Amino acid sequence: MTIKSIYGFVAAGLLLTACGKEFIERPSLSGTTTGNYYNSAEEVRAATSTLYSGLPWRNYESRAQDAIGDVMGGNMFTYTDVEYLNFTMSSASERIGAAWGAFYKIIGYANVMIKTFEEKKASGGGASYLDPAIAECHFIRGTVYFYIARTWGAAPIITDPGATALSGNFNIPRYLQSDVLRFALEELKLAEAGLPESDVAGRLTKYSAKGMMAKVYLYQKDYTNAKAKAQEVIDSGKYRLVSDYNGMFTKTSMNNNEETLFSIQHQLSGDPWGTGNIKNPDRGAGALRTAEADAWEMYIPSLDLLKEYEFGDLRRKWSVMEHGWTNTAWKPQRVNAPKYNAFMANGFKYDTLQPVEDGGSLSPTRSNITKYFAGPGKSFGGDAVLGQNSGNNVVLLRYADILLIYAEATLAGGASSSDAKALQALNLVRARAGLAPRTSFTLDQIMHERRVEFAFEGDYWYDIQRQGYAKAKAIIEKQNRGTVTAANYLTNFSEDRMYLPIPAGELVQDPELAKDPVPYYK
């Protein structure tokens, strides 16, 4: 399979060609040079924009992110990805292969760019614009390896696919998860050193790297460094919690807002980044399907998540549609549907009593997701939607996470904390949600806050996982993963479900992946 070059790659004549393994993306060995290319910041930034776009991220952010992060975590119900709901997934499961392929493709892009830019710099290219670009690549590579380590545990590390291809040895082993995490951190440190203090909206900065490092350190239970890095982001004064929580995910006008440290970039047309966001139809209530917007509610809120919200938590209505939820600006209409059109004439009403064909909603949990659902289309009062596509960025790291990392790192595994600064960070998140401040907090309370704050953002499974098998089993087996008519409680969650299996196709092509992991660092 050949992946055509994008943006700067087109100009440079570089091709990324798979060499028999999805996880080894290598540059063309045709002898192309960079002598006439990457001579300006504009050319280089055009190339690195690929790393932010939906093009390489698509097979992860579309469905795999939901299935792994929220269906497995118990935040979403689905009839489509039942194997993730019940932890019966196998190495042949579709989302596993999709995420693996996407992650290693992104790494392939970053690998080629790092090598290309370093060669250009060595031949006299401008360090002023090449060094920040190399740092962007290190951030992306580090972040993706962090995702890989959390998802599969032990995994291959590829940094020079060209050398691998020339060697002819494609039997790449899995490396210890601890080494994959160490590699991710080393990459993020390089990013921190090379990225600018500030940049145009959407571009990475030093504080993006510091924030992601804080998240990696927290995963490793290195609370001292997690707290220190989170503190650096907080002290920068560059970020704040935005008041329009729902708008962060549903309004293109709020892309790259002051809460965002890193997002996958999307636009509908004239797109310098890549592709549109295709989460819209998977989350949208069927009652909002129109000639402009698809909506087939593949993923819906779980009953267990709905029980998690405290009374008065505004994030519930900002994240979930339930009976009585309204949006008077949305006025969906359909051809030859007089009852439906009359019901929606004065604005959208989420109603579980009205017949479905006349505008009612009757999902298995009597709820639907609002995050990343842009609405019924511009003609019907919503943001612009083109079929399956919206222009909303997918946020992978935001300031609320930094605040909660700081609070949890201050707790540092203790029973409870009443530290003033940690409480201030936690209570900023709670205040936006309309909740009373806490005077002390426990780990369970932090995990509760993370669950409702980041619901449907693909992160909750990892919050469960990083607490260890015994705690994960207790959490999973208490969750109702069923519907309003049929409860479903798992009783067979086992330790081998803590990480996903490597895709079957990769195991066939590289038998080393089926063996025990080995150290990466000698």
Side-chain angles (χ1 to χ4, degrees):
M1 178 183 69
T2 299
I3 304 171
K4 291 184 178 179
S5 307
I6 305 168
Y7 306 121
F9 284 158
V10 173
L14 289 174
L15 295 178
L16 298 179
T17 308
C19 57
K21 306 285 185 295
E22 275 197 45
F23 63 89
I24 306 175
E25 295 287 349
R26 62 180 175 90
S28 168
L29 302 179
S30 62
T32 356
T33 70
T34 60
N36 297 321
Y37 308 105
Y38 306 125
N39 292 314
S40 69
E42 182 179 17
E43 290 176 355
V44 171
R45 284 162 75 86
T48 57
S49 68
T50 308
L51 299 172
Y52 299 80
S53 82
L55 183 72
W57 288 91
R58 172 162 292 218
N59 282 350
Y60 166 65
E61 70 167 10
S62 172
R63 300 182 179 169
Q65 184 184 32
D66 293 326
I68 297 167
D70 282 295
V71 175
M72 282 174 58
N75 283 350
M76 286 178 174
F77 176 84
T78 178
Y79 281 129
T80 303
D81 289 324
V82 176
E83 61 213 286
Y84 299 89
L85 193 68
N86 295 333
F87 285 92
T88 56
M89 57 277 183
S90 72
S91 60
S93 295
E94 181 179 0
R95 311 301 177 216
I96 291 173
W100 177 279
F103 287 152
Y104 279 103
K105 183 175 290 184
I106 296 163
I107 289 167
Y109 281 27
N111 285 340
V112 170
M113 288 189 206
I114 289 171
K115 186 174 180 63
T116 301
F117 296 156
E118 286 178 343
E119 288 176 354
K120 181 68 178 181
K121 185 179 170 184
S123 65
S128 62
Y129 57 82
L130 287 168
D131 282 346
I134 292 169
E136 284 180 294
C137 297
H138 283 301
F139 176 94
I140 296 296
R141 195 161 72 175
T143 296
V144 174
Y145 273 116
F146 174 47
Y147 276 60
I148 288 170
R150 294 191 300 173
T151 305
W152 286 279
I157 297 175
I158 308 294
T159 59
D160 191 347
T164 301
L166 287 170
S167 75
N169 178 17
F170 299 126
N171 292 320
I172 311 298
R174 289 187 304 146
Y175 295 107
L176 298 168
Q177 186 200 36
S178 59
D179 283 1
V180 181
L181 289 168
R182 176 180 166 183
F183 181 82
L185 269 174
E186 290 177 351
E187 290 292 291
L188 291 169
K189 287 176 182 177
L190 290 170
E192 179 188 32
L195 286 167
E197 287 273 330
S198 59
D199 207 328
V200 298
R203 287 276 176 178
L204 295 165
T205 70
K206 287 185 184 297
Y207 298 99
S208 306
K210 292 176 190 292
M212 193 61 74
M213 288 169 69
K215 199 170 178 76
V216 179
Y217 281 129
L218 188 74
Y219 187 86
Q220 294 177 308
K221 295 182 170 57
D222 183 346
Y223 299 118
T224 299
N225 279 315
K227 181 177 178 179
K229 287 301 169 186
Q231 183 72 67
E232 288 178 42
V233 177
I234 293 168
D235 288 347
S236 75
K238 293 179 178 292
Y239 303 95
R240 67 176 182 87
L241 299 180
V242 298
S243 57
D244 189 354
Y245 178 98
N246 179 256
M248 270 194 290
F249 311 99
T250 58
K251 298 177 182 177
T252 55
S253 61
M254 289 189 67
N255 282 348
N256 303 317
N257 58 69
E258 291 179 284
E259 186 163 339
T260 303
L261 280 77
F262 174 49
S263 288
I264 302 170
Q265 303 288 320
H266 290 293
Q267 287 184 357
L268 278 180
S269 60
D271 188 352
W273 300 101
T275 57
N277 178 337
I278 56 175
K279 288 183 180 290
N280 214 62
D282 287 350
R283 295 170 178 231
L288 282 161
R289 186 181 66 256
T290 66
E292 290 184 14
D294 290 327
W296 46 66
E297 51 192 53
M298 180 181 294
Y299 303 111
I300 61 175
S302 71
L303 294 173
D304 196 78
L305 174 67
L306 295 178
K307 287 170 52 182
E308 186 77 14
Y309 289 101
E310 296 170 61
F311 179 77
D313 190 334
L314 297 173
R315 288 169 295 197
R316 184 167 183 152
K317 68 176 182 180
W318 293 337
S319 304
V320 176
M321 296 181 194
E322 298 174 273
H323 185 78
W325 192 95
T326 62
N327 188 323
T328 56
W330 292 352
K331 296 180 180 179
Q333 297 287 281
R334 294 176 179 170
V335 176
N336 299 323
K339 290 183 179 180
Y340 174 93
N341 293 340
F343 187 70
M344 299 295 186
N346 296 317
F348 174 71
K349 295 172 283 188
Y350 192 94
D351 192 293
T352 59
L353 302 177
Q354 179 82 353
V356 171
E357 62 271 20
D358 297 339
S361 295
L362 202 67
S363 86
T365 64
R366 306 300 188 263
S367 61
N368 285 96
I369 298 169
T370 66
K371 276 186 180 177
Y372 294 116
F373 183 72
K378 194 169 184 179
S379 300
F380 307 106
D383 259 30
V385 177
L386 298 175
Q388 298 180 34
N389 292 274
S390 72
N392 305 112
N393 290 349
V394 172
V395 185
L396 296 184
L397 184 65
R398 55 188 178 90
Y399 189 53
D401 205 350
I402 303 303
L403 293 171
L404 294 179
I405 288 170
Y406 181 86
E408 185 179 341
T410 301
L411 181 63
S416 66
S417 175
S418 55
D419 179 88
K421 287 187 177 180
L423 283 167
Q424 181 182 32
L426 170 60
N427 287 329
L428 280 171
V429 176
R430 288 178 62 79
R432 177 172 62 180
L435 297 174
R438 295 197 187 278
T439 56
S440 65
F441 63 90
T442 65
L443 179 61
D444 284 347
Q445 288 171 327
I446 285 287
M447 291 301 172
H448 155 79
E449 210 67 50
R450 292 188 62 84
R451 186 179 189 187
V452 294
E453 176 68 25
F454 305 116
F456 318 129
E457 296 180 49
D459 213 45
Y460 186 55
W461 162 244
Y462 301 117
D463 279 334
I464 293 174
Q465 179 209 68
R466 66 186 174 88
Q467 295 180 72
Y469 170 62
K471 183 73 172 188
K473 182 176 176 67
I475 292 170
I476 294 298
E477 294 187 351
K478 286 181 181 177
Q479 293 177 340
N480 181 358
R481 293 175 165 240
T483 70
V484 293
T485 56
N488 178 30
Y489 291 91
L490 302 186
T491 59
N492 59 348
F493 180 77
S494 55
E495 193 164 6
D496 64 342
R497 304 285 89 178
M498 292 290 282
Y499 297 99
L500 296 183
I502 288 174
E506 301 298 332
L507 293 169
V508 170
Q509 295 180 66
D510 181 3
E512 291 293 315
L513 296 175
K515 297 179 181 179
D516 290 340
V518 299
Y520 180 75
Y521 296 95
K522 308 303 181 185

